[in-house]
Structure formats: structure tokens, C-alpha cells
Amino acid sequence: MAEGKEEDVKLGANKFTERQPLGTAAQTDKDYKEPPPAPLFEPGELSSWSFYRAGIAEFMATLLFLYITILTIMGVNRSTPNKCASVGIQGIAWAFGGMIFALVYCTAGISGGHINPAVTFGLFLARKLSLTRALFYIVMQCLGAICGAGIVKGFEKGPYERSKGGVNYVQHGYTKGDGLGAEIVGTFVLVYTVFSATDAKRNARDSHVPILAPLPIGFAVFLVHLATIPITGTSINPARSLGAAIIYNRDLGWDDHWIFWVGPFIGAALAAVYHQIVIRAIPFKSRA
């Protein structure tokens, strides 16, 4: 019997069996051995070129992400009063989701393709990377976002100012609580998808079902934007909000800014807890 099956029996996962084995009950001999958690501090990383290369990849990916998405927002806003003459809200959502798909695909093999401090935070809580690397990624992501928004403003300052710099803020008719809730749930959807799409145990078990991890991640970003653009403009990415707010630098970008850090970090933490404890049951397995 495979190790995974033995663990599931100890946990009672197979007490009431299915006629057709499902989920973790459908383990094969290709089962996956859980790697040890990443150390909290990894001083050796600081002398490794791969560490800095990963940070540069996160910087460039976030720069390109802000550049394309803010330009898309500007294009839609210039089409007033008839936004249907442009790509509209659906096009903005596609721009965000499509860029995440492309950039995660490009950088996954170098840095893991986080491009988002909330994703980095969630993976850190799950001990997928060290605190050293997590802090470095977040700094590089924020710097990349600032540069990406700065390039847009440098190219098209007039349209940029008229489009309010693509900053996130709680839209008229919604409360700050509405905005915070939308950011928490939206980030939960994103980070939960990241965990599921990159779960090596799932890939080992379901190797007969090929999956391109960036695709569901990008699609999750697209769907969350469709749902929450009318509420907050959709952040689910603190670096995206910070870069836009710093370069636009008006009260509109700062009044609700705390929401776009607190909300995504809470959502990411909930997703990490849900995936590690409920879906993977890792603490119980280690105890068993």
C-alpha cells in the first residue's frame, strides 16, 4: 500500500469508501513525498546568483504587469461616455488575467512567478520559501510596480492624470467594509488557485491529466476582476496598488490604500490555512 493511502487510513479519510476512488483515495504508486518546509532564514541564499536573478525576474514581471494593465485602463477611460467603444471592463479584466498568465509562464521556472506580495505571503505561510526570499520578492515586486506605473506616466502624462493613474479606491456607493471584503475574498480565490495549480502532489497523482499552471492562475485573476472592478477597481495585489498610488500621488490613491494591503494579506493567509490544513491535512499527517 502506498504511503499516502496509509496516512489517509490513519486519518479516517477512507472510513466510508467510494465505489469509484476519489481525491486522495485514488493514490497510485507515483505518490509524492512531502518535502521539508523551507527554513525560516536562509543566509546562504544571499551569496547565490539564482537568488538575485529570481528577484530581478519578479521586478521585471511586475513592471510589465503594471505597464500593460494601466495602459489598458487608460484606453477604456478615454472612451467616455461610451466605454463600449473600447475593450470595456471585460477587456481590463482580460488584460490583468492575460498578463498574469503570460508572466507566470515566463518566470515560474526562475522565481516561481509570484508577481504579487499576497501570493508571496501565502506561500511563505505555507513554508514554501524562506522569510529572506519572501521579503526580497516583496521589495522587488513593489519597485517593479512603481517603475511600471512611472513609465506609463512618463509616456502619456496627460491621459494618465485624466485616468487617475489607474489607482485603486472604493467606488462610489460602496463602503470601506465592502471594499475590504471584496479584496479578502478575491485574493483568497487567487491564492487558493495558486496552491492548487502548483501542488506537486496533485501533479504526481494526476500526471495523466496535463495542466499548465499559469492558465488557471490567470483565469482566476480575470474572474476576480470581472466581479470586483465595480467595487474597488480590483487590486488583490498590494504592489499593483502601491505602484499606482505612488506615481499618481493624490489623496484618491491613498485614502483607501490600507484596504489593498490588509485585504489581500488576510485573503492569502486564509487560502494558505485552508489549503494546508483542510485540503492537504499536513499538520495531521505529520502528527500521525
Side-chain angles (χ1 to χ4, degrees), residues 116 118 168-171 175-191 224-225 227-241 256-270:
N116 184 337
N168 291 115
Y169 58 94
V170 178
Q171 306 289 320
T175 67
K176 294 186 187 299
D178 296 334
L180 181 62
E183 290 296 314
I184 290 173
V185 176
T187 311
F188 179 92
V189 171
L190 168 60
V191 178
V224 171
H225 275 76
T228 58
I229 282 176
I231 304 173
T232 61
T234 309
S235 172
I236 63 172
N237 184 335
R240 174 260 186 273
S241 297
D256 302 324
H257 187 70
W258 64 273
I259 291 173
F260 307 112
W261 284 88
V262 175
F265 273 50
I266 292 175
L270 292 174

mmCIF file of all heavy atoms in Angstrom, residues 116 118 168-171 175-191 224-225 227-241 256-270:
data_model
loop_
_atom_site.group_PDB
_atom_site.id
_atom_site.type_symbol
_atom_site.label_atom_id
_atom_site.label_comp_id
_atom_site.label_asym_id
_atom_site.label_seq_id
_atom_site.Cartn_x
_atom_site.Cartn_y
_atom_site.Cartn_z
ATOM 1 N N ASN A 116 3.292 39.231 -7.002
ATOM 2 C CA ASN A 116 2.240 39.705 -6.104
ATOM 3 C C ASN A 116 2.668 39.441 -4.662
ATOM 4 O O ASN A 116 2.874 38.274 -4.284
ATOM 5 C CB ASN A 116 0.938 38.960 -6.416
ATOM 6 C CG ASN A 116 -0.259 39.436 -5.622
ATOM 7 O OD1 ASN A 116 -0.123 40.005 -4.551
ATOM 8 N ND2 ASN A 116 -1.446 39.191 -6.143
ATOM 9 N N ALA A 118 0.942 39.361 -2.033
ATOM 10 C CA ALA A 118 -0.020 38.498 -1.338
ATOM 11 C C ALA A 118 0.251 37.029 -1.641
ATOM 12 O O ALA A 118 0.164 36.175 -0.752
ATOM 13 C CB ALA A 118 -1.449 38.867 -1.744
ATOM 14 N N ASN A 168 -6.327 52.249 -7.225
ATOM 15 C CA ASN A 168 -7.437 51.536 -6.593
ATOM 16 C C ASN A 168 -8.062 52.408 -5.512
ATOM 17 O O ASN A 168 -7.348 53.030 -4.715
ATOM 18 C CB ASN A 168 -6.961 50.229 -5.955
ATOM 19 C CG ASN A 168 -6.537 49.199 -6.982
ATOM 20 O OD1 ASN A 168 -5.374 48.832 -7.054
ATOM 21 N ND2 ASN A 168 -7.478 48.740 -7.786
ATOM 22 N N TYR A 169 -9.362 52.447 -5.476
ATOM 23 C CA TYR A 169 -10.084 53.123 -4.401
ATOM 24 C C TYR A 169 -11.488 52.533 -4.351
ATOM 25 O O TYR A 169 -11.964 51.937 -5.330
ATOM 26 C CB TYR A 169 -10.144 54.640 -4.624
ATOM 27 C CG TYR A 169 -10.785 55.068 -5.922
ATOM 28 C CD1 TYR A 169 -12.138 55.390 -5.985
ATOM 29 C CD2 TYR A 169 -10.032 55.160 -7.095
ATOM 30 C CE1 TYR A 169 -12.732 55.778 -7.188
ATOM 31 C CE2 TYR A 169 -10.615 55.543 -8.288
ATOM 32 C CZ TYR A 169 -11.962 55.852 -8.331
ATOM 33 O OH TYR A 169 -12.547 56.229 -9.513
ATOM 34 N N VAL A 170 -12.145 52.675 -3.207
ATOM 35 C CA VAL A 170 -13.506 52.152 -3.064
ATOM 36 C C VAL A 170 -14.441 53.049 -3.866
ATOM 37 O O VAL A 170 -14.494 54.262 -3.649
ATOM 38 C CB VAL A 170 -13.915 52.100 -1.576
ATOM 39 C CG1 VAL A 170 -15.353 51.613 -1.453
ATOM 40 C CG2 VAL A 170 -12.972 51.193 -0.794
ATOM 41 N N GLN A 171 -15.169 52.438 -4.785
ATOM 42 C CA GLN A 171 -16.014 53.195 -5.698
ATOM 43 C C GLN A 171 -17.234 53.777 -4.983
ATOM 44 O O GLN A 171 -17.659 53.293 -3.920
ATOM 45 C CB GLN A 171 -16.474 52.282 -6.842
ATOM 46 C CG GLN A 171 -15.344 51.596 -7.577
ATOM 47 C CD GLN A 171 -14.529 52.530 -8.438
ATOM 48 O OE1 GLN A 171 -15.067 53.414 -9.091
ATOM 49 N NE2 GLN A 171 -13.212 52.347 -8.436
ATOM 50 N N THR A 175 -19.078 50.818 0.713
ATOM 51 C CA THR A 175 -18.392 51.207 1.946
ATOM 52 C C THR A 175 -16.985 50.627 1.968
ATOM 53 O O THR A 175 -16.644 49.746 1.168
ATOM 54 C CB THR A 175 -19.154 50.692 3.176
ATOM 55 O OG1 THR A 175 -19.089 49.255 3.197
ATOM 56 C CG2 THR A 175 -20.613 51.138 3.139
ATOM 57 N N LYS A 176 -16.180 51.101 2.906
ATOM 58 C CA LYS A 176 -14.837 50.555 3.057
ATOM 59 C C LYS A 176 -14.896 49.071 3.439
ATOM 60 O O LYS A 176 -14.032 48.290 3.045
ATOM 61 C CB LYS A 176 -14.053 51.353 4.096
ATOM 62 C CG LYS A 176 -13.768 52.796 3.666
ATOM 63 C CD LYS A 176 -12.870 53.491 4.658
ATOM 64 C CE LYS A 176 -12.729 54.984 4.329
ATOM 65 N NZ LYS A 176 -12.129 55.222 3.009
ATOM 66 N N GLY A 177 -15.920 48.721 4.221
ATOM 67 C CA GLY A 177 -16.106 47.309 4.559
ATOM 68 C C GLY A 177 -16.382 46.469 3.331
ATOM 69 O O GLY A 177 -15.893 45.332 3.216
ATOM 70 N N ASP A 178 -17.173 47.007 2.386
ATOM 71 C CA ASP A 178 -17.430 46.294 1.139
ATOM 72 C C ASP A 178 -16.129 46.073 0.376
ATOM 73 O O ASP A 178 -15.869 44.978 -0.142
ATOM 74 C CB ASP A 178 -18.393 47.097 0.246
ATOM 75 C CG ASP A 178 -19.768 47.260 0.850
ATOM 76 O OD1 ASP A 178 -20.164 46.401 1.678
ATOM 77 O OD2 ASP A 178 -20.460 48.239 0.508
ATOM 78 N N GLY A 179 -15.331 47.134 0.321
ATOM 79 C CA GLY A 179 -14.066 47.035 -0.394
ATOM 80 C C GLY A 179 -13.120 46.036 0.244
ATOM 81 O O GLY A 179 -12.485 45.227 -0.451
ATOM 82 N N LEU A 180 -13.039 46.060 1.575
ATOM 83 C CA LEU A 180 -12.159 45.129 2.282
ATOM 84 C C LEU A 180 -12.612 43.690 2.056
ATOM 85 O O LEU A 180 -11.800 42.805 1.773
ATOM 86 C CB LEU A 180 -12.156 45.454 3.776
ATOM 87 C CG LEU A 180 -11.263 44.585 4.653
ATOM 88 C CD1 LEU A 180 -9.801 44.724 4.254
ATOM 89 C CD2 LEU A 180 -11.445 44.940 6.130
ATOM 90 N N GLY A 181 -13.916 43.456 2.154
ATOM 91 C CA GLY A 181 -14.435 42.102 1.934
ATOM 92 C C GLY A 181 -14.159 41.615 0.523
ATOM 93 O O GLY A 181 -13.783 40.448 0.318
ATOM 94 N N ALA A 182 -14.331 42.497 -0.459
ATOM 95 C CA ALA A 182 -14.086 42.110 -1.853
ATOM 96 C C ALA A 182 -12.620 41.740 -2.064
ATOM 97 O O ALA A 182 -12.305 40.770 -2.773
ATOM 98 C CB ALA A 182 -14.481 43.256 -2.787
ATOM 99 N N GLU A 183 -11.721 42.480 -1.433
ATOM 100 C CA GLU A 183 -10.295 42.190 -1.586
ATOM 101 C C GLU A 183 -9.903 40.895 -0.878
ATOM 102 O O GLU A 183 -9.071 40.131 -1.377
ATOM 103 C CB GLU A 183 -9.467 43.363 -1.054
ATOM 104 C CG GLU A 183 -9.536 44.606 -1.911
ATOM 105 C CD GLU A 183 -8.952 44.401 -3.294
ATOM 106 O OE1 GLU A 183 -7.854 43.810 -3.391
ATOM 107 O OE2 GLU A 183 -9.587 44.810 -4.286
ATOM 108 N N ILE A 184 -10.508 40.638 0.281
ATOM 109 C CA ILE A 184 -10.203 39.395 1.002
ATOM 110 C C ILE A 184 -10.641 38.184 0.188
ATOM 111 O O ILE A 184 -9.859 37.249 -0.053
ATOM 112 C CB ILE A 184 -10.890 39.391 2.385
ATOM 113 C CG1 ILE A 184 -10.234 40.418 3.310
ATOM 114 C CG2 ILE A 184 -10.826 37.999 3.017
ATOM 115 C CD1 ILE A 184 -10.962 40.602 4.635
ATOM 116 N N VAL A 185 -11.891 38.195 -0.256
ATOM 117 C CA VAL A 185 -12.415 37.042 -0.992
ATOM 118 C C VAL A 185 -11.715 36.894 -2.335
ATOM 119 O O VAL A 185 -11.362 35.781 -2.758
ATOM 120 C CB VAL A 185 -13.937 37.154 -1.173
ATOM 121 C CG1 VAL A 185 -14.462 35.998 -2.011
ATOM 122 C CG2 VAL A 185 -14.638 37.192 0.185
ATOM 123 N N GLY A 186 -11.482 38.023 -3.030
ATOM 124 C CA GLY A 186 -10.811 37.956 -4.322
ATOM 125 C C GLY A 186 -9.411 37.384 -4.217
ATOM 126 O O GLY A 186 -9.005 36.557 -5.045
ATOM 127 N N THR A 187 -8.665 37.800 -3.185
ATOM 128 C CA THR A 187 -7.310 37.278 -3.014
ATOM 129 C C THR A 187 -7.340 35.822 -2.582
ATOM 130 O O THR A 187 -6.471 35.030 -2.970
ATOM 131 C CB THR A 187 -6.527 38.113 -1.986
ATOM 132 O OG1 THR A 187 -6.663 39.500 -2.310
ATOM 133 C CG2 THR A 187 -5.063 37.740 -1.990
ATOM 134 N N PHE A 188 -8.343 35.442 -1.788
ATOM 135 C CA PHE A 188 -8.495 34.034 -1.415
ATOM 136 C C PHE A 188 -8.634 33.174 -2.667
ATOM 137 O O PHE A 188 -7.986 32.130 -2.799
ATOM 138 C CB PHE A 188 -9.711 33.854 -0.509
ATOM 139 C CG PHE A 188 -9.956 32.425 -0.103
ATOM 140 C CD1 PHE A 188 -9.416 31.922 1.057
ATOM 141 C CD2 PHE A 188 -10.723 31.571 -0.891
ATOM 142 C CE1 PHE A 188 -9.623 30.596 1.433
ATOM 143 C CE2 PHE A 188 -10.942 30.255 -0.533
ATOM 144 C CZ PHE A 188 -10.393 29.765 0.637
ATOM 145 N N VAL A 189 -9.488 33.607 -3.593
ATOM 146 C CA VAL A 189 -9.689 32.852 -4.839
ATOM 147 C C VAL A 189 -8.364 32.711 -5.587
ATOM 148 O O VAL A 189 -7.998 31.620 -6.047
ATOM 149 C CB VAL A 189 -10.738 33.544 -5.732
ATOM 150 C CG1 VAL A 189 -10.795 32.891 -7.112
ATOM 151 C CG2 VAL A 189 -12.107 33.510 -5.074
ATOM 152 N N LEU A 190 -7.624 33.817 -5.699
ATOM 153 C CA LEU A 190 -6.360 33.779 -6.429
ATOM 154 C C LEU A 190 -5.346 32.861 -5.764
ATOM 155 O O LEU A 190 -4.769 31.977 -6.414
ATOM 156 C CB LEU A 190 -5.783 35.197 -6.533
ATOM 157 C CG LEU A 190 -4.330 35.291 -7.025
ATOM 158 C CD1 LEU A 190 -4.177 34.699 -8.409
ATOM 159 C CD2 LEU A 190 -3.845 36.730 -6.985
ATOM 160 N N VAL A 191 -5.104 33.042 -4.472
ATOM 161 C CA VAL A 191 -4.049 32.279 -3.795
ATOM 162 C C VAL A 191 -4.436 30.812 -3.659
ATOM 163 O O VAL A 191 -3.585 29.922 -3.777
ATOM 164 C CB VAL A 191 -3.710 32.922 -2.435
ATOM 165 C CG1 VAL A 191 -2.642 32.117 -1.705
ATOM 166 C CG2 VAL A 191 -3.231 34.356 -2.634
ATOM 167 N N VAL A 224 -11.886 37.297 -10.963
ATOM 168 C CA VAL A 224 -11.972 38.182 -9.800
ATOM 169 C C VAL A 224 -12.116 39.633 -10.250
ATOM 170 O O VAL A 224 -12.887 40.407 -9.660
ATOM 171 C CB VAL A 224 -10.741 38.004 -8.883
ATOM 172 C CG1 VAL A 224 -10.722 39.074 -7.797
ATOM 173 C CG2 VAL A 224 -10.743 36.619 -8.246
ATOM 174 N N HIS A 225 -11.416 40.009 -11.301
ATOM 175 C CA HIS A 225 -11.554 41.376 -11.813
ATOM 176 C C HIS A 225 -12.964 41.634 -12.341
ATOM 177 O O HIS A 225 -13.513 42.719 -12.116
ATOM 178 C CB HIS A 225 -10.504 41.650 -12.898
ATOM 179 C CG HIS A 225 -9.187 42.079 -12.353
ATOM 180 N ND1 HIS A 225 -8.303 41.199 -11.768
ATOM 181 C CD2 HIS A 225 -8.596 43.299 -12.280
ATOM 182 C CE1 HIS A 225 -7.228 41.856 -11.367
ATOM 183 N NE2 HIS A 225 -7.381 43.134 -11.665
ATOM 184 N N ALA A 227 -15.617 40.473 -11.228
ATOM 185 C CA ALA A 227 -16.524 40.592 -10.083
ATOM 186 C C ALA A 227 -16.308 41.855 -9.281
ATOM 187 O O ALA A 227 -17.275 42.459 -8.785
ATOM 188 C CB ALA A 227 -16.370 39.362 -9.172
ATOM 189 N N THR A 228 -15.055 42.297 -9.146
ATOM 190 C CA THR A 228 -14.782 43.360 -8.162
ATOM 191 C C THR A 228 -14.285 44.679 -8.741
ATOM 192 O O THR A 228 -14.059 45.631 -7.991
ATOM 193 C CB THR A 228 -13.769 42.862 -7.101
ATOM 194 O OG1 THR A 228 -12.564 42.460 -7.761
ATOM 195 C CG2 THR A 228 -14.323 41.689 -6.329
ATOM 196 N N ILE A 229 -14.103 44.775 -10.055
ATOM 197 C CA ILE A 229 -13.762 46.081 -10.638
ATOM 198 C C ILE A 229 -14.787 47.141 -10.242
ATOM 199 O O ILE A 229 -14.415 48.270 -9.895
ATOM 200 C CB ILE A 229 -13.612 45.991 -12.171
ATOM 201 C CG1 ILE A 229 -12.249 45.379 -12.535
ATOM 202 C CG2 ILE A 229 -13.727 47.367 -12.827
ATOM 203 C CD1 ILE A 229 -12.047 45.157 -14.014
ATOM 204 N N PRO A 230 -16.092 46.841 -10.242
ATOM 205 C CA PRO A 230 -17.053 47.884 -9.847
ATOM 206 C C PRO A 230 -16.972 48.285 -8.372
ATOM 207 O O PRO A 230 -17.537 49.306 -7.981
ATOM 208 C CB PRO A 230 -18.412 47.234 -10.154
ATOM 209 C CG PRO A 230 -18.119 46.144 -11.126
ATOM 210 C CD PRO A 230 -16.768 45.638 -10.743
ATOM 211 N N ILE A 231 -16.281 47.503 -7.542
ATOM 212 C CA ILE A 231 -16.225 47.787 -6.103
ATOM 213 C C ILE A 231 -14.953 48.562 -5.741
ATOM 214 O O ILE A 231 -15.020 49.619 -5.108
ATOM 215 C CB ILE A 231 -16.311 46.484 -5.284
ATOM 216 C CG1 ILE A 231 -17.579 45.701 -5.664
ATOM 217 C CG2 ILE A 231 -16.301 46.780 -3.784
ATOM 218 C CD1 ILE A 231 -17.667 44.330 -5.030
ATOM 219 N N THR A 232 -13.790 48.020 -6.122
ATOM 220 C CA THR A 232 -12.516 48.651 -5.739
ATOM 221 C C THR A 232 -11.604 48.909 -6.936
ATOM 222 O O THR A 232 -10.480 49.384 -6.745
ATOM 223 C CB THR A 232 -11.742 47.749 -4.755
ATOM 224 O OG1 THR A 232 -11.453 46.492 -5.408
ATOM 225 C CG2 THR A 232 -12.531 47.503 -3.486
ATOM 226 N N GLY A 233 -12.052 48.582 -8.127
ATOM 227 C CA GLY A 233 -11.135 48.604 -9.263
ATOM 228 C C GLY A 233 -10.291 47.348 -9.303
ATOM 229 O O GLY A 233 -9.558 47.112 -10.256
ATOM 230 N N THR A 234 -10.395 46.527 -8.283
ATOM 231 C CA THR A 234 -9.689 45.260 -8.077
ATOM 232 C C THR A 234 -8.187 45.447 -7.935
ATOM 233 O O THR A 234 -7.494 45.827 -8.871
ATOM 234 C CB THR A 234 -9.962 44.240 -9.207
ATOM 235 O OG1 THR A 234 -11.355 44.114 -9.412
ATOM 236 C CG2 THR A 234 -9.407 42.880 -8.820
ATOM 237 N N SER A 235 -7.719 45.124 -6.740
ATOM 238 C CA SER A 235 -6.282 45.082 -6.518
ATOM 239 C C SER A 235 -5.840 43.625 -6.425
ATOM 240 O O SER A 235 -5.223 43.113 -7.331
ATOM 241 C CB SER A 235 -5.907 45.826 -5.237
ATOM 242 O OG SER A 235 -4.543 45.616 -4.940
ATOM 243 N N ILE A 236 -6.203 42.965 -5.323
ATOM 244 C CA ILE A 236 -5.725 41.619 -4.956
ATOM 245 C C ILE A 236 -4.206 41.504 -5.126
ATOM 246 O O ILE A 236 -3.678 40.399 -5.215
ATOM 247 C CB ILE A 236 -6.471 40.477 -5.684
ATOM 248 C CG1 ILE A 236 -6.258 40.521 -7.206
ATOM 249 C CG2 ILE A 236 -7.958 40.522 -5.354
ATOM 250 C CD1 ILE A 236 -6.826 39.297 -7.937
ATOM 251 N N ASN A 237 -3.537 42.643 -5.156
ATOM 252 C CA ASN A 237 -2.095 42.691 -5.362
ATOM 253 C C ASN A 237 -1.580 44.002 -4.767
ATOM 254 O O ASN A 237 -1.693 45.061 -5.394
ATOM 255 C CB ASN A 237 -1.777 42.615 -6.858
ATOM 256 C CG ASN A 237 -0.282 42.554 -7.134
ATOM 257 O OD1 ASN A 237 0.543 43.013 -6.344
ATOM 258 N ND2 ASN A 237 0.071 42.007 -8.277
ATOM 259 N N PRO A 238 -1.033 43.970 -3.553
ATOM 260 C CA PRO A 238 -0.586 45.214 -2.909
ATOM 261 C C PRO A 238 0.441 45.998 -3.716
ATOM 262 O O PRO A 238 0.437 47.233 -3.695
ATOM 263 C CB PRO A 238 0.004 44.731 -1.584
ATOM 264 C CG PRO A 238 -0.713 43.448 -1.297
ATOM 265 C CD PRO A 238 -0.918 42.809 -2.639
ATOM 266 N N ALA A 239 1.326 45.312 -4.443
ATOM 267 C CA ALA A 239 2.331 46.015 -5.240
ATOM 268 C C ALA A 239 1.672 46.815 -6.352
ATOM 269 O O ALA A 239 2.077 47.947 -6.644
ATOM 270 C CB ALA A 239 3.333 45.017 -5.827
ATOM 271 N N ARG A 240 0.658 46.246 -6.974
ATOM 272 C CA ARG A 240 -0.060 46.948 -8.042
ATOM 273 C C ARG A 240 -0.669 48.246 -7.515
ATOM 274 O O ARG A 240 -0.591 49.304 -8.129
ATOM 275 C CB ARG A 240 -1.132 46.020 -8.611
ATOM 276 C CG ARG A 240 -2.075 46.664 -9.639
ATOM 277 C CD ARG A 240 -3.408 47.033 -8.950
ATOM 278 N NE ARG A 240 -4.404 47.514 -9.883
ATOM 279 C CZ ARG A 240 -4.552 48.774 -10.290
ATOM 280 N NH1 ARG A 240 -3.701 49.699 -9.863
ATOM 281 N NH2 ARG A 240 -5.512 49.110 -11.105
ATOM 282 N N SER A 241 -1.287 48.182 -6.325
ATOM 283 C CA SER A 241 -1.904 49.370 -5.734
ATOM 284 C C SER A 241 -0.857 50.378 -5.283
ATOM 285 O O SER A 241 -1.037 51.589 -5.446
ATOM 286 C CB SER A 241 -2.783 48.973 -4.538
ATOM 287 O OG SER A 241 -3.842 48.139 -4.955
ATOM 288 N N ASP A 256 -7.880 55.063 0.696
ATOM 289 C CA ASP A 256 -8.301 53.683 0.972
ATOM 290 C C ASP A 256 -7.151 52.696 0.814
ATOM 291 O O ASP A 256 -7.383 51.483 0.740
ATOM 292 C CB ASP A 256 -9.444 53.280 0.013
ATOM 293 C CG ASP A 256 -10.646 54.198 0.102
ATOM 294 O OD1 ASP A 256 -10.945 54.667 1.218
ATOM 295 O OD2 ASP A 256 -11.288 54.456 -0.938
ATOM 296 N N HIS A 257 -5.924 53.201 0.765
ATOM 297 C CA HIS A 257 -4.805 52.336 0.387
ATOM 298 C C HIS A 257 -4.606 51.158 1.346
ATOM 299 O O HIS A 257 -4.196 50.071 0.926
ATOM 300 C CB HIS A 257 -3.524 53.162 0.292
ATOM 301 C CG HIS A 257 -2.357 52.402 -0.255
ATOM 302 N ND1 HIS A 257 -2.278 51.997 -1.572
ATOM 303 C CD2 HIS A 257 -1.226 51.937 0.350
ATOM 304 C CE1 HIS A 257 -1.146 51.327 -1.757
ATOM 305 N NE2 HIS A 257 -0.494 51.282 -0.612
ATOM 306 N N TRP A 258 -4.892 51.380 2.634
ATOM 307 C CA TRP A 258 -4.695 50.307 3.609
ATOM 308 C C TRP A 258 -5.507 49.069 3.255
ATOM 309 O O TRP A 258 -5.085 47.928 3.533
ATOM 310 C CB TRP A 258 -5.075 50.792 5.013
ATOM 311 C CG TRP A 258 -6.531 51.137 5.170
ATOM 312 C CD1 TRP A 258 -7.119 52.343 4.907
ATOM 313 C CD2 TRP A 258 -7.586 50.262 5.602
ATOM 314 N NE1 TRP A 258 -8.470 52.284 5.152
ATOM 315 C CE2 TRP A 258 -8.788 51.018 5.592
ATOM 316 C CE3 TRP A 258 -7.627 48.934 6.017
ATOM 317 C CZ2 TRP A 258 -10.014 50.479 5.959
ATOM 318 C CZ3 TRP A 258 -8.851 48.381 6.391
ATOM 319 C CH2 TRP A 258 -10.019 49.151 6.363
ATOM 320 N N ILE A 259 -6.659 49.264 2.624
ATOM 321 C CA ILE A 259 -7.520 48.135 2.251
ATOM 322 C C ILE A 259 -6.783 47.183 1.313
ATOM 323 O O ILE A 259 -6.960 45.953 1.387
ATOM 324 C CB ILE A 259 -8.819 48.650 1.585
ATOM 325 C CG1 ILE A 259 -9.688 49.352 2.616
ATOM 326 C CG2 ILE A 259 -9.583 47.526 0.888
ATOM 327 C CD1 ILE A 259 -10.913 50.035 2.025
ATOM 328 N N PHE A 260 -5.921 47.735 0.456
ATOM 329 C CA PHE A 260 -5.276 46.935 -0.578
ATOM 330 C C PHE A 260 -3.988 46.275 -0.106
ATOM 331 O O PHE A 260 -3.282 45.638 -0.892
ATOM 332 C CB PHE A 260 -5.056 47.815 -1.818
ATOM 333 C CG PHE A 260 -6.330 48.474 -2.258
ATOM 334 C CD1 PHE A 260 -6.499 49.853 -2.150
ATOM 335 C CD2 PHE A 260 -7.395 47.721 -2.715
ATOM 336 C CE1 PHE A 260 -7.683 50.458 -2.532
ATOM 337 C CE2 PHE A 260 -8.584 48.308 -3.083
ATOM 338 C CZ PHE A 260 -8.736 49.683 -2.998
ATOM 339 N N TRP A 261 -3.708 46.415 1.181
ATOM 340 C CA TRP A 261 -2.681 45.615 1.844
ATOM 341 C C TRP A 261 -3.331 44.650 2.837
ATOM 342 O O TRP A 261 -3.045 43.448 2.816
ATOM 343 C CB TRP A 261 -1.674 46.517 2.571
ATOM 344 C CG TRP A 261 -0.707 47.170 1.641
ATOM 345 C CD1 TRP A 261 -0.867 48.355 0.981
ATOM 346 C CD2 TRP A 261 0.568 46.655 1.245
ATOM 347 N NE1 TRP A 261 0.230 48.616 0.196
ATOM 348 C CE2 TRP A 261 1.131 47.603 0.341
ATOM 349 C CE3 TRP A 261 1.294 45.501 1.560
ATOM 350 C CZ2 TRP A 261 2.385 47.411 -0.252
ATOM 351 C CZ3 TRP A 261 2.553 45.326 0.980
ATOM 352 C CH2 TRP A 261 3.080 46.265 0.082
ATOM 353 N N VAL A 262 -4.209 45.164 3.655
ATOM 354 C CA VAL A 262 -4.846 44.326 4.679
ATOM 355 C C VAL A 262 -5.700 43.239 4.031
ATOM 356 O O VAL A 262 -5.612 42.052 4.387
ATOM 357 C CB VAL A 262 -5.700 45.189 5.632
ATOM 358 C CG1 VAL A 262 -6.460 44.307 6.620
ATOM 359 C CG2 VAL A 262 -4.807 46.188 6.383
ATOM 360 N N GLY A 263 -6.546 43.627 3.071
ATOM 361 C CA GLY A 263 -7.433 42.661 2.428
ATOM 362 C C GLY A 263 -6.690 41.526 1.751
ATOM 363 O O GLY A 263 -6.938 40.340 2.043
ATOM 364 N N PRO A 264 -5.752 41.817 0.826
ATOM 365 C CA PRO A 264 -5.014 40.733 0.177
ATOM 366 C C PRO A 264 -4.213 39.860 1.138
ATOM 367 O O PRO A 264 -4.144 38.639 0.948
ATOM 368 C CB PRO A 264 -4.090 41.487 -0.789
ATOM 369 C CG PRO A 264 -4.847 42.720 -1.132
ATOM 370 C CD PRO A 264 -5.522 43.111 0.161
ATOM 371 N N PHE A 265 -3.627 40.450 2.187
ATOM 372 C CA PHE A 265 -2.846 39.626 3.106
ATOM 373 C C PHE A 265 -3.748 38.704 3.929
ATOM 374 O O PHE A 265 -3.397 37.556 4.198
ATOM 375 C CB PHE A 265 -1.978 40.515 4.009
ATOM 376 C CG PHE A 265 -0.643 40.843 3.402
ATOM 377 C CD1 PHE A 265 -0.557 41.330 2.101
ATOM 378 C CD2 PHE A 265 0.523 40.672 4.114
ATOM 379 C CE1 PHE A 265 0.675 41.631 1.531
ATOM 380 C CE2 PHE A 265 1.760 40.972 3.558
ATOM 381 C CZ PHE A 265 1.841 41.450 2.261
ATOM 382 N N ILE A 266 -4.919 39.198 4.324
ATOM 383 C CA ILE A 266 -5.863 38.316 5.037
ATOM 384 C C ILE A 266 -6.344 37.209 4.108
ATOM 385 O O ILE A 266 -6.390 36.028 4.488
ATOM 386 C CB ILE A 266 -7.062 39.125 5.580
ATOM 387 C CG1 ILE A 266 -6.611 40.067 6.692
ATOM 388 C CG2 ILE A 266 -8.153 38.190 6.091
ATOM 389 C CD1 ILE A 266 -7.711 40.988 7.206
ATOM 390 N N GLY A 267 -6.713 37.563 2.881
ATOM 391 C CA GLY A 267 -7.175 36.565 1.929
ATOM 392 C C GLY A 267 -6.125 35.510 1.646
ATOM 393 O O GLY A 267 -6.424 34.308 1.567
ATOM 394 N N ALA A 268 -4.865 35.937 1.500
ATOM 395 C CA ALA A 268 -3.775 34.997 1.246
ATOM 396 C C ALA A 268 -3.553 34.073 2.439
ATOM 397 O O ALA A 268 -3.319 32.868 2.276
ATOM 398 C CB ALA A 268 -2.491 35.762 0.930
ATOM 399 N N ALA A 269 -3.628 34.629 3.652
ATOM 400 C CA ALA A 269 -3.444 33.810 4.857
ATOM 401 C C ALA A 269 -4.551 32.764 4.968
ATOM 402 O O ALA A 269 -4.286 31.595 5.288
ATOM 403 C CB ALA A 269 -3.419 34.695 6.093
ATOM 404 N N LEU A 270 -5.795 33.164 4.706
ATOM 405 C CA LEU A 270 -6.910 32.216 4.764
ATOM 406 C C LEU A 270 -6.744 31.114 3.731
ATOM 407 O O LEU A 270 -7.028 29.938 4.009
ATOM 408 C CB LEU A 270 -8.232 32.953 4.552
ATOM 409 C CG LEU A 270 -8.661 33.920 5.659
ATOM 410 C CD1 LEU A 270 -9.910 34.696 5.249
ATOM 411 C CD2 LEU A 270 -8.904 33.167 6.965
#
